[in-house]
């Protein structure tokens, strides 16, 4: 299982990279678009579609699992702070189970939609016929990876609870240096 | 036993198209079935965005959905034939032609049948016009390089064909963009001018442009349809046909009213001079031909749709 | 009954520490399944995730977050406090007032209040403690001054409100300017009062030469560039708010590069952190969408609005109840989660009572500022405690006077809506 966990961490890190690249691209494309529109009266005709179809979705879905592993999905932890480790383990089992169900369902529905779009060669109408399947593929990729991560956490937590020992180590769930984004 | 159906759309509640199309249809169906069929109406994107309506109807989240083909251009490819520039003159002409090809023609077999939905109500909106701030559109130089908001698709192509610069942006940002010169004008259906409250910012509008249109359509999912008793199906189609015929006339009257409202707000409607209009029409025919060719190239029935729709308009 | 099960599941999951977005998605999914079975659930799950994120306007969130991270990286904020401190001179409590000024200044170039609190904790708090300020008062003023960043544009919180309420985001951001300045002045007045009551809270400062004062003006350059590239371009209309957010991020990147702080690993770290922040916020938006469908299909919102609309009470009483509710919620919950959970339900009510949604957004954000400094969940106090190594109870205690002052300022904004609405009107008029 540690091997599997390390493998997932590697994929999460690659996905994080891709999300970071999408961020940088959004910034660059919008700035170029704005400047070109002002200075040369010729905005980038593809900027709007590229960003709204692919890049924003890329930032979100590629960082979905990494954000969970980094503990950056905000939660209300006042109660958890007062609980003994075993009870924390139980709450984490509940969280991982419901998360697993939801994201597995989303990933499954997303997979069918992606295959459907790919097989029928769907493109959006317009000067550039953007294919829709790459955007749709982001859903099962991001949610699927998160579901795998949640499954691994679930198994680990259950093992710990069943044996009463810390077979799989989990740190206290913690955000980015305890900071939010408000 | 009583039947209750969920109807979803993305219009703000109270929008005139809702009042003209779906509300009277629901009321009349309920009346003629003696309250055996009733509806829960979810307006204003309550069940999802416009682009999600097809999937939501297919999955029976809604039984009847406002499925505008333009919002699902990846799934309803040939419907765009009715929205191409120059496709028809009046709303009723466009509506009749679209219903014809969507019920009995290639649009039906290509866009509706494979998506497992059935067209109930449809209206072709009056042709889009170009509205500008600085100068009326009377000649090629008046549009050359002028930044106009477009909603993408064939409109980008239309604008580029006549030499303007299409700019894409989120609809709510249009007001600011116009007021600060980020945009020089818009390519809009006239009712959107009022919907986005931009009439104060614009000075001129083309009066006779045929720069494209939009199909407003409500469809029912096949599964929901098949569950209905035959008598109810008949009533629904009858009422739909009556409303399809009357609503397009109401939309045309509405268009005249909107033009008056815009004139009152200080917008000057100028007809394009004949010679210029002829050149524009020729160029826009190329847009339609190019559209059909691109679709044919992707293995879709673009040319057939164009031929059928043009024939239906002539009838 | 189904509504009660959905709500109960939501509160249970929130209470046991399930991430807010996950909790809303799961509770909503359960509710949808109960309402319409598997077909309805998959129907929503198939569309909601991608359609939530396929929106161009959404890029304002990642870009403002990126801008905040880059401003932190550049270190300009450190100088900002030193400059305001030099210019406040020997006024009693001058450093604390300078903190409020620097908070407003930093708020004008950074969109998140936690980033602002972190910066002020690293600069102004040690300076005040060195000079012998009462630690509680020093910590409190830092925590509250940080919250100015969510009111003065750019602001991630205002953008989220704008997206949810479908209010013109440009006008909304501009609407935060005057209330932001008012809140800043209120903080300074609170400090003045505290020092008047007990002068030992703030020992006098050493004199600063004019030469030194002018030397500190070097921070003005980057400040003007960043403020101009966001609020300036929005107000003058050079670009839309969406474009302004990317221009702001690019401007912050340029400044960080100018100060020699941009290395590949630093840039990657900054990008990843802002991507994670975006993901966290959008996850909450997605969860709220799923939960929102459940609420819609059970017609909860509709019935609530009809119920309250039928009550025989003054609309001001209802507004007061709403705002008190927000302050109570703000004690326990994350502010973004509060916005996302409540705006879709509360806004139709607010509109039906005849209140301006733009005005309401600003007032809501001022209550959110309060939430950032109230126990037990007061994010800014935790940030200050963490960065300064002081106990968090001390910071909460020092924030109490500002809590009271904020209640007064909220009352003023409710009584005089033009304080909020005037500036956006002049923007739309020109
Ligand atoms: Na700010
Ligand atoms: Na709080």
């Amino acid at each position: 299982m540690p091997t599997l966990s390390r493998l997932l961490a590697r994929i999460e890190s690659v996905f994080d990279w891709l999300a970071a690249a999408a961020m940088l691209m959004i910034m660059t494309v919008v700035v170029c678009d704005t400047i070109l529109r002002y200075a040369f009266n010729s905005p980038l005709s593809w900027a709007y579609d590229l960003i709204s179809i692919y890049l924003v979705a890329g930032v979100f879905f590629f960082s979905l699992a990494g954000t969970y592993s980094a503990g950056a999905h905000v939660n209300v932890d006042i109660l958890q702070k007062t609980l003994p480790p075993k009870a924390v383990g139980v709450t984490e089992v509940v969280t991982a189970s419901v998360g697993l169900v939801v994201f597995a369902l989303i990933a499954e529905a997303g997979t069918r939609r992606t295959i459907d779009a790919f097989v029928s060669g769907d493109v959006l109408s317009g000067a550039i016929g953007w294919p829709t399947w790459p955007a749709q593929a982001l859903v099962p990729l991001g949610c699927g990876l998160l579901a795998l991560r949640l499954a691994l956490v679930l198994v680990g937590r259950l093992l710990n609870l069943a044996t009463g020992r810390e077979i799989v180590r989990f740190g206290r769930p913690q955000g980015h240096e305890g900071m939010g984004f408000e | 036993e009583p039947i209750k159906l969920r109807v979803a759309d993305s219009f703000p509640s109270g929008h005139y198209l809702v009042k003209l199309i779906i509300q009277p249809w629901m009321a009349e169906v309920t009346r003629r079935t003696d309250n055996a069929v009733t509806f829960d109406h979810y307006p204003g994107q309550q069940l999802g965005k416009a682009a999600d309506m097809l999937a939501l109807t297919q999955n029976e989240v809604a039984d009847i959905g406002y499925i505008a083909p333009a919002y699902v251009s990846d799934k309803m490819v040939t419907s765009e034939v009715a929205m191409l520039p120059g496709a028809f003159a009046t709303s009723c002409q466009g509506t009749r032609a679209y219903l014809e090809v969507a019920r009995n023609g290639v649009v039906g077999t290509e866009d509706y049948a494979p998506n497992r939905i059935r067209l109930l109500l449809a209206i072709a909106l009056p042709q889009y016009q170009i509205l500008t701030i600085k100068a009326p559109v009377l000649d090629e130089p008046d549009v050359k390089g002028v930044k106009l908001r477009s909603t993408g698709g064939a409109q980008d192509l239309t604008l580029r064909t006549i030499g303007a610069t299409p700019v894409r942006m989120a609809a709510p940002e249009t007001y600011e963009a116009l007021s600060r010169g980020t945009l020089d004008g818009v390519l809009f259906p006239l009712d959107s001018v009022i919907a986005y409250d931009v009439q104060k910012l614009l000075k001129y509008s083309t009066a006779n442009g045929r720069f494209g249109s939009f199909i407003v359509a409500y469809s029912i999912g096949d599964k929901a349809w098949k569950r209905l008793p035959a008598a109810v199906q008949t009533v629904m189609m009858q009422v739909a046909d009556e409303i399809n015929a009357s609503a397009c006339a109401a939309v045309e009257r509405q268009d005249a009213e909107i033009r008056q409202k815009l004139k009152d707000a200080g917008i000057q409607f100028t007809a394009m001079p004949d010679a210029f209009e002829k050149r524009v029409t020729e160029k826009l025919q190329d847009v339609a031909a190019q559209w059909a060719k691109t679709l044919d190239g992707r293995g879709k029935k673009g040319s057939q749709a164009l031929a059928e729709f043009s024939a239906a308009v002539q009838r | 009954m189904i509504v009660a099960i959905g709500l109960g599941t939501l509160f249970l999951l929130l209470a046991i520490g399930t991430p807010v977005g996950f909790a809303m998605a799961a509770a909503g999914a359960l509710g949808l399944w109960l309402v319409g079975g598997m077909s309805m659930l998959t129907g929503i799950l198939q569309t909601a995730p991608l359609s939530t994120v396929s929106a161009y306007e959404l890029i304002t969130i990642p870009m403002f977050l990126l801008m905040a991270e880059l401003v932190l990286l550049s270190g300009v904020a450190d100088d900002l406090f030193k400059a305001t401190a030099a210019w406040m001179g020997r006024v009693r409590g001058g450093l604390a007032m300078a903190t409020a000024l620097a908070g407003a200044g930093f708020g004008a170039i950074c969109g998140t209040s936690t980033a602002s609190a972190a910066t002020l904790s690293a600069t102004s708090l040690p300076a005040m403690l060195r000079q012998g300020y009462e630690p509680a008062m020093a910590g409190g003023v830092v925590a509250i001054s940080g919250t100015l960043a969510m009111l003065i544009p750019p602001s991630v919180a205002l953008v989220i409100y704008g997206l949810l309420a479908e209010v013109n985001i440009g006008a909304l951001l501009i609407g935060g300017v005057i209330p932001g300045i008012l809140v800043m002045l209120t903080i300074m007045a609170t400090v003045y009062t505290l020092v008047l009551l007990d002068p030992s809270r703030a020992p006098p400062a050493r004199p600063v030469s004019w030469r030194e004062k002018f030397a500190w003006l070097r921070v003005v350059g980057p400040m003007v560039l960043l403020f101009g590239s966001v609020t300036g371009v929005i107000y003058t209309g050079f670009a839309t708010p969406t474009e302004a957010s990317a221009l702001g991020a690019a401007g912050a990147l340029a400044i960080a590069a100018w100060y020699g702080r941009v290395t590949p690993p630093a840039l990657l770290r900054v990008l990843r952190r802002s991507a994670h922040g975006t993901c966290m916020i959008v996850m909450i938006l997605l969860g709220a969408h799923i939960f929102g469908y459940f609420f819609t299909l059970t017609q909860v919102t509709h019935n609530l609005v009809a119920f309250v609309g039928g009550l025989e009470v003054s609309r001001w009483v209802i507004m007061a109840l709403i705002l008190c509710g927000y302050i109570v919620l703000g004690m326990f919950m994350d502010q973004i989660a509060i916005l996302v959970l409540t705006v879709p339900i509360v806004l139709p009510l607010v509109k039906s009572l005849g209140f301006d949604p733009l005005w309401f957004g600003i007032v809501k954000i001022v209550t959110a500022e309060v939430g950032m400094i109230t126990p037990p969940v007061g994010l800014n106090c935790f940030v200050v405690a963490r960065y300064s190594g002081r106990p968090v109870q001390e910071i909460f205690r020092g924030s109490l006077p500002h809590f009271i002052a904020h209640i007064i300022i909220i009352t003023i904004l409710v009584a005089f809506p033009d304080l909020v609405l005037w500036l956006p009107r002049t923007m739309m008029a020109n």
Side-chain angles (χ1 to χ4, degrees):
Chain A
M1 213 163 80
T3 328
L4 197 56
S5 179
R6 268 199 302 278
L7 177 68
L8 284 190
R10 284 284 279 281
I11 303 175
E12 280 164 8
S13 148
V14 172
F15 276 21
D16 267 356
W17 254 96
L18 292 171
M23 287 281 276
L24 204 56
M25 270 177 82
I26 292 175
M27 184 187 85
T28 316
V29 169
V30 175
V31 169
C32 291
D33 185 37
T34 312
I35 291 172
L36 283 172
R37 190 184 64 221
Y38 261 88
F40 307 101
N41 212 18
S42 62
L44 303 170
S45 59
W46 42 265
Y48 186 95
D49 286 326
L50 178 74
I51 290 170
S52 56
I53 300 171
Y54 305 116
L55 292 182
V56 195
V59 171
F60 176 69
F61 287 107
F62 278 132
S63 52
L64 197 49
T67 307
Y68 174 78
S69 292
H73 279 300
V74 62
N75 62 348
V76 184
D77 57 356
I78 17 176
L79 185 65
Q80 257 189 345
K81 277 186 182 138
T82 66
L83 293 177
K86 192 149 186 179
V88 170
V90 174
T91 64
E92 288 297 308
V93 164
V94 176
T95 295
S97 325
V98 297
L100 176 60
V101 172
V102 170
F103 289 102
L105 281 173
I106 296 178
E108 198 259 341
T111 309
R112 276 187 283 131
R113 226 179 151 194
T114 310
I115 292 172
D116 176 48
F118 183 80
V119 170
S120 47
D122 290 348
V123 302
L124 292 165
S125 86
I128 302 174
W130 301 98
T132 57
W133 69 265
Q136 278 162 354
L138 292 170
V139 180
L141 279 178
C143 296
L145 184 64
L146 177 57
L148 285 177
R149 171 57 76 189
L150 288 166
L152 212 60
V153 169
L154 179 62
V155 172
R157 290 281 184 185
L158 283 174
L159 269 179
N160 288 0
L161 283 176
T163 58
R165 286 178 301 138
E166 208 175 23
I167 297 196
V168 184
R169 286 188 54 114
F170 294 98
R172 274 256 166 194
Q174 196 184 33
H176 281 296
E177 299 138 40
M179 273 178 57
F181 293 90
E182 285 133 325
Chain B
E1 89 208 72
I3 299 169
K4 197 168 192 111
L5 298 173
R6 277 191 295 270
V7 178
D9 63 48
S10 53
F11 293 111
S13 74
H15 191 276
Y16 80 91
L17 285 170
V18 172
K19 287 189 192 150
L20 278 181
I21 306 173
I22 195 70
Q23 277 178 354
W25 181 81
M26 292 188 298
E28 189 60 17
V29 169
T30 302
R31 197 182 69 79
R32 285 196 206 172
T33 56
D34 283 331
N35 296 319
V37 181
T38 52
F39 301 92
D40 274 335
H41 185 203
Y42 296 92
Q45 306 190 32
Q46 286 184 40
L47 288 191
K49 292 189 197 169
D52 295 336
M53 284 296 162
L54 174 61
L56 293 171
T57 308
Q58 288 171 337
N59 289 300
E60 297 181 272
V61 175
D63 299 302
I64 296 169
Y66 163 52
I67 303 171
Y71 292 136
V72 280
S73 66
D74 54 333
K75 291 287 178 195
M76 302 181 76
V77 180
T78 53
S79 284
E80 195 170 19
V81 71
M83 297 174 259
L84 293 172
F88 58 84
T90 68
S91 177
C92 282
Q93 197 182 30
T95 301
R96 268 195 305 274
Y98 183 72
L99 282 165
E100 171 65 28
V101 295
R103 291 246 165 91
N104 311 317
V106 66
V107 173
T109 54
E110 293 293 298
D111 287 8
Y112 284 89
N115 280 314
R116 308 187 309 283
I117 55 169
R118 180 175 299 259
L119 179 62
L120 290 174
L121 296 145
I123 293 291
L125 293 186
Q127 290 281 333
Y128 285 24
Q129 304 297 329
I130 292 178
L131 293 100
T132 46
I133 298 174
K134 285 183 198 121
V137 178
L138 300 172
D139 202 357
E140 270 87 358
D142 298 330
V143 281
K144 183 117 189 78
V146 167
K147 285 171 295 193
L148 299 174
R149 182 182 181 263
S150 126
T151 44
Q155 290 175 39
D156 269 3
L157 216 56
T158 303
L159 287 178
R160 229 168 289 139
T161 306
I162 60 170
T165 305
V167 177
R168 300 286 302 279
M169 64 174 53
E173 290 189 335
T174 312
Y175 185 98
E176 276 173 275
L178 277 173
S179 64
R180 318 311 177 69
T182 311
L183 287 174
D184 303 316
V186 295
L187 173 61
F188 257 7
L190 290 177
D191 63 334
S192 293
V193 176
I194 302 217
Y196 292 120
D197 200 25
V198 287
Q199 63 274 26
K200 284 179 304 233
L201 305 173
L202 296 160
K203 296 260 161 53
Y204 305 97
S205 172
T206 53
N208 53 346
R210 290 197 196 174
F211 297 112
S213 173
F214 188 89
I215 299 294
V216 173
Y218 283 88
S219 300
I220 185 167
D222 274 348
K223 276 188 256 172
W225 178 255
K226 280 179 191 134
R227 273 198 303 269
L228 296 172
V232 171
Q233 291 181 344
T234 313
V235 169
M236 282 187 169
M237 274 301 164
Q238 265 170 6
V239 179
D241 285 340
E242 287 164 26
I243 287 182
N244 285 332
S246 64
C248 69
V251 164
E252 280 172 14
R253 281 196 300 278
Q254 182 82 22
D255 187 55
E257 270 171 43
I258 290 172
R259 280 181 191 237
Q260 191 52 50
K261 229 187 243 177
L262 294 179
K263 279 179 198 158
D264 294 344
I267 293 181
Q268 197 181 321
F269 281 81
T270 51
M272 292 181 282
D274 287 345
F276 174 55
E277 203 211 338
K278 213 171 141 220
R279 291 197 298 277
V280 168
T281 307
E282 272 164 24
K283 280 186 196 159
L284 292 182
Q285 270 163 3
D286 287 349
V287 172
Q290 201 186 324
W291 172 86
K293 218 174 90 190
T294 311
L295 250 60
D296 291 347
R298 279 173 34 214
K300 314 275 177 188
K301 298 182 175 165
S303 295
Q304 194 185 336
L306 189 58
E308 276 188 24
F309 188 80
S310 307
V313 167
Q314 298 306 321
R315 269 202 290 279
Chain C
M1 185 58 199
I2 291 181
V3 176
I5 295 175
L7 268 178
T9 309
L10 176 65
F11 288 131
L12 180 76
L13 289 176
L14 286 177
I16 65 165
T18 305
V20 177
F22 293 17
M24 284 192 282
L30 174 68
L32 286 170
W33 181 71
L34 290 173
V35 170
M38 208 53 202
S39 159
M40 174 171 289
L41 177 58
T42 44
I44 298 278
L45 292 186
Q46 205 175 67
T47 52
L50 195 57
S51 93
T52 303
V53 298
S54 304
Y56 186 76
E57 308 93 285
L58 212 60
I59 64 173
T60 321
I61 294 172
M63 290 301 107
F64 278 165
L65 289 178
L66 181 58
M67 180 180 172
E69 293 290 337
L70 287 165
V71 168
L72 281 185
L73 181 69
S74 74
V76 282
D78 305 358
D79 291 351
L80 189 60
F81 169 72
K82 288 174 190 153
T84 54
W87 279 86
M88 280 311 290
R90 305 193 59 194
V91 182
R92 267 273 180 182
L95 278 187
M97 294 184 189
T99 304
L101 272 173
F106 192 62
I109 59 173
C110 160
T112 70
S113 89
T114 42
S116 182
T119 305
L120 293 171
S121 310
T123 53
S124 74
L125 192 59
M128 283 189 275
L129 294 177
R130 258 200 314 277
Q131 203 176 304
Y133 271 61
E134 182 194 44
M137 173 168 128
V141 78
V142 168
I144 190 70
S145 298
T147 68
L148 283 167
M150 64 167 34
L151 184 55
I152 297 175
S155 159
V156 172
L158 277 175
V159 167
I160 293 171
Y161 176 81
L163 290 172
L164 292 168
E166 293 179 347
V167 171
N168 182 323
I169 291 178
L172 188 63
L173 288 170
I174 298 299
V177 172
I178 290 178
I181 293 168
L182 277 178
V183 170
M184 178 197 79
L185 293 173
T186 309
I187 298 172
M188 293 171 82
T190 311
V191 167
Y192 182 82
T193 315
L194 287 172
V195 177
L196 208 63
L197 292 174
D198 180 1
S200 74
R201 283 177 173 141
R206 68 176 176 86
V208 177
S209 71
W210 280 103
R211 192 195 163 103
E212 206 178 325
K213 282 183 187 176
F214 280 106
W216 280 115
L217 285 182
R218 65 166 181 264
V219 300
V220 169
M223 273 288 300
V224 168
L225 173 67
L226 279 178
F227 184 70
S229 68
V230 181
T231 309
V233 300
I234 293 175
Y235 189 78
T236 58
F238 178 86
T240 65
T242 318
E243 294 164 342
S245 66
L247 289 173
L253 179 62
I255 289 167
W258 173 261
Y259 283 97
R261 303 286 177 88
V262 179
T263 58
L267 183 62
L268 181 64
R269 196 181 67 238
V270 160
L271 285 167
R272 274 175 68 156
R273 271 186 53 90
S274 21
H276 283 177
T278 307
C279 181
M280 178 277 267
I281 292 171
V282 175
M283 184 62 228
I284 297 178
L285 288 173
L286 169 58
H289 265 152
I290 295 174
F291 195 77
Y293 290 131
F294 162 57
F295 254 31
T296 302
L297 285 161
T298 46
Q299 311 217 312
V300 172
T301 315
H302 183 258
N303 295 343
L304 182 77
V305 174
F307 169 73
V308 178
L311 288 179
E312 295 282 322
V313 271
S314 152
R315 63 190 197 122
W316 297 102
V317 174
I318 297 173
M319 180 51 67
L321 285 175
I322 291 174
L323 294 176
C324 290
Y326 271 133
I327 289 170
V328 173
L329 266 184
M331 293 180 175
F332 304 100
M333 273 185 70
D334 174 77
Q335 287 302 329
I336 291 170
I338 293 177
L339 274 176
V340 173
L341 267 176
T342 63
V343 167
I345 300 164
V346 171
L347 195 76
L349 196 63
V350 168
K351 279 198 208 157
S352 73
L353 293 172
F355 292 102
D356 187 308
L358 193 159
W359 165 85
F360 180 71
I362 301 293
V363 174
K364 164 72 204 81
I365 297 302
V366 181
T367 69
E369 293 190 325
V370 175
M372 300 300 283
I373 57 158
T374 50
V377 180
L379 213 46
N380 270 19
C381 293
F382 288 120
V383 171
V384 174
R386 181 178 190 94
Y387 275 69
S388 62
R390 310 286 316 182
V392 71
Q393 303 89 310
E394 183 181 288
I395 319 283
F396 278 127
R397 189 153 42 82
S399 301
L400 184 64
H402 298 288
F403 170 75
I404 296 162
H406 254 74
I407 304 293
I408 298 171
I409 195 87
I410 289 172
T411 316
I412 292 174
L413 290 176
V414 171
F416 305 100
D418 272 347
L419 289 171
V420 175
L421 296 172
W422 174 73
L423 199 59
R425 268 206 300 268
T426 67
M427 171 181 102
M428 301 308 261
N430 69 24

